[in-house]
Structure formats: C-alpha cells, structure tokens
C-alpha cells in the first residue's frame, strides 16, 4: 500500500491531502469531493477523523474506475 498502513480499525491513509487537492487531482470541484466523501462515509466505506482517512475494509471499495458510484455523486 502506497499511502496506507494497517491500523486496528482498517487501513490508515498516512498521506495528508485536503479535499481541494483531491478535487484538483480528479479534475472535479471541491463540492463534488465533499459529497462523495460524505456518501462513502455514510456507506461505511471510509471514516474521516480530522485529517486522517481510515478505510475499514479495502476490499469493499470499488477498484475499477468504471465501477458504479453511489447514487448522488
């Protein structure tokens, strides 16, 4: 794992990156990133704790860029 390490709650992403940077990398607006992160958190696919991102179950995340996204993104 490039940016994450095993943690008792899942994978802890150690690379600090803010939502504006994510939006720039993905070529979307910041609001879209905020909505997407909120939906992923709501579905239990990620946990946000301050500046830390925890992925409880890496296998549950879609690995294919063409995989369907949750409704509302």
């Amino acid at each position: 794992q490039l940016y994450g390490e095993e943690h008792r709650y899942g994978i802890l992403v150690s690379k600090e990156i803010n939502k504006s940077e994510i939006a720039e990398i993905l070529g979307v607006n910041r609001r879209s990133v905020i909505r997407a992160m909120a939906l992923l958190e709501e579905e239990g696919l990620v946990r946000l704790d301050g500046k830390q991102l925890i992925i409880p179950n890496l296998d549950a995340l879609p690995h294919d860029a063409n995989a369907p996204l949750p409704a509302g993104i």
Side-chain angles (χ1 to χ4, degrees):
Q1 282 125 10
L2 187 58
Y3 293 115
E5 60 187 54
E6 292 287 335
H7 187 269
R8 67 181 183 172
Y9 298 114
I11 303 294
L12 174 64
V13 178
S14 55
K15 174 88 172 142
E16 286 191 20
I17 185 168
N18 64 42
K19 291 175 180 77
S20 294
E21 292 169 321
I22 294 171
E24 187 176 326
I25 291 166
L26 297 175
V28 299
N29 64 43
R30 186 174 179 274
R31 186 73 191 136
S32 293
V33 172
I34 292 169
R35 280 195 311 264
M37 293 300 274
L39 287 170
L40 291 170
E41 189 168 22
E42 202 174 280
E43 293 188 8
L45 297 173
V46 300
R47 281 187 43 214
L48 301 172
D49 185 16
K51 289 195 171 203
Q52 293 183 326
L53 173 68
I54 299 169
I55 303 170
N57 181 358
L58 188 60
D59 292 329
L61 286 177
H63 295 296
D64 183 349
N66 296 315
L69 295 173
I73 296 181

